[in-house]
Amino acid sequence: MKALESDAPLIVYVDIKSPYAFAAIRPTLALEKSLDMRFDWRPLTLDIPSYLGSARKSKGKVVESTRSASQWVGIKYGYRDARRYVERQGLMLKGTEKIWDSSIANIGISWVMQTDRDRLGDYFETVYPPFWRRELDIEDIAVVEACLEQAGIDSAGFAAFEQGEGRARHDDLQAQLHPSGIYGVPTYVFEGTILFGREHLPYVRWHLQGRKGPAPDVAYEIDCLEPLPC
């Protein structure tokens, strides 16, 4: 698998532990549905400590941190920004208590893409909202298997996939991302073009509909899945 190549009209990179990806999931699924297309959804497991430092909280208080004051300012703004758009969808976003290893849940995306593609949206609904309510341990493979089953996806074989083929594919893809110019989520890729952030969805729609008329400016407005409002 090449980071910038796909037979699908659009590659979508997401990470379960990213608040920005969380805000983008329903709008992107809605775009996919409205265009009657199948996007190529892929995991990008962010290495947050490498650029934003690490921290851990207990009962809402920071007990460990390698972050500078400016990094904390950026982190807090990022959560406020994502929360604005998550709450418009009727969802909750609580700051995480630690930096999670989201690779198992992200490999779950690849499992669903390979075994039961039509239920990908169901998988996202069983993972993203509870994780951001602090109700889900995405580092526990049994928890991820339960999410798969809750979404109607057979989890038999997932553990072997996560430890074998799925893990190898995941790690190989992660090694390609930064050298390819992909560094955050959500990222949208088509025909070698890389767009970072859900504000590009109107432009993505314009491109996928044939690039008719003037290209739209960046914006945050796009219809979400019914029945929840944007």
Side-chain angles (χ1 to χ4, degrees):
M1 179 182 292
K2 302 297 183 182
L4 301 180
E5 299 177 8
S6 177
D7 293 333
L10 184 72
I11 303 172
V12 184
Y13 283 98
V14 295
D15 185 356
I16 300 298
K17 71 171 177 289
S18 164
Y20 283 117
F22 182 31
I25 288 297
R26 288 184 177 181
T28 307
L29 286 169
L31 178 62
E32 182 180 50
K33 181 179 179 180
S34 70
L35 297 178
D36 194 23
M37 293 180 175
R38 287 195 167 198
F39 300 161
D40 186 351
W41 295 78
R42 299 180 181 180
L44 189 168
T45 300
L46 296 165
D47 181 10
I48 294 174
S50 69
Y51 61 96
L52 282 176
S54 63
R56 183 173 66 85
K57 293 182 178 181
S58 178
K59 299 180 180 179
K61 295 183 178 181
V62 177
V63 294
E64 294 178 12
S65 175
T66 64
R67 288 173 174 161
S68 66
S70 61
Q71 285 175 323
W72 273 114
V73 170
I75 288 288
K76 290 177 181 178
Y77 172 79
Y79 273 106
R80 287 196 301 268
D81 191 32
R83 189 173 290 117
R84 278 191 281 266
Y85 299 102
V86 166
E87 289 179 348
R88 291 186 62 202
Q89 299 174 45
L91 298 168
M92 179 184 296
L93 190 158
K94 293 183 177 180
T96 59
E97 298 270 271
K98 68 172 187 175
I99 297 174
W100 292 81
D101 176 1
S102 52
S103 61
I104 297 175
N106 285 343
I107 291 171
I109 297 171
S110 300
W111 174 259
V112 180
M113 288 290 292
Q114 178 174 304
T115 65
D116 203 345
R117 172 63 176 79
D118 290 341
R119 294 191 180 274
L120 182 64
D122 298 322
Y123 176 65
F124 285 146
E125 286 297 312
T126 65
V127 178
Y128 268 107
F131 174 71
W132 287 102
R133 294 193 301 265
R134 298 183 189 164
E135 298 172 357
L136 208 65
D137 181 353
I138 57 172
E139 294 177 352
D140 186 336
I141 192 168
V143 171
V144 176
E145 288 176 322
C147 289
L148 289 166
E149 292 291 339
Q150 184 182 344
I153 302 157
D154 188 357
S155 66
F158 174 68
F161 178 81
E162 187 276 326
Q163 296 170 19
E165 176 191 349
R167 174 64 62 175
R169 189 190 308 170
H170 168 276
D171 292 352
D172 177 68
L173 184 59
Q174 305 315 300
Q176 297 180 50
L177 296 179
H178 279 205
S180 299
I182 300 170
Y183 58 91
V185 290
T187 286
Y188 306 96
V189 180
F190 57 82
E191 298 177 2
T193 297
I194 301 170
L195 300 172
F196 169 48
R198 70 183 286 271
E199 63 268 29
H200 295 292
L201 281 172
Y203 186 90
V204 172
R205 177 191 288 276
W206 172 78
H207 168 76
L208 294 176
Q209 289 182 317
R211 305 174 75 92
K212 299 175 183 177
D217 196 359
V218 294
Y220 281 95
E221 300 298 334
I222 189 168
D223 292 339
C224 293
L225 290 177
E226 296 294 341
L228 293 175
C230 283

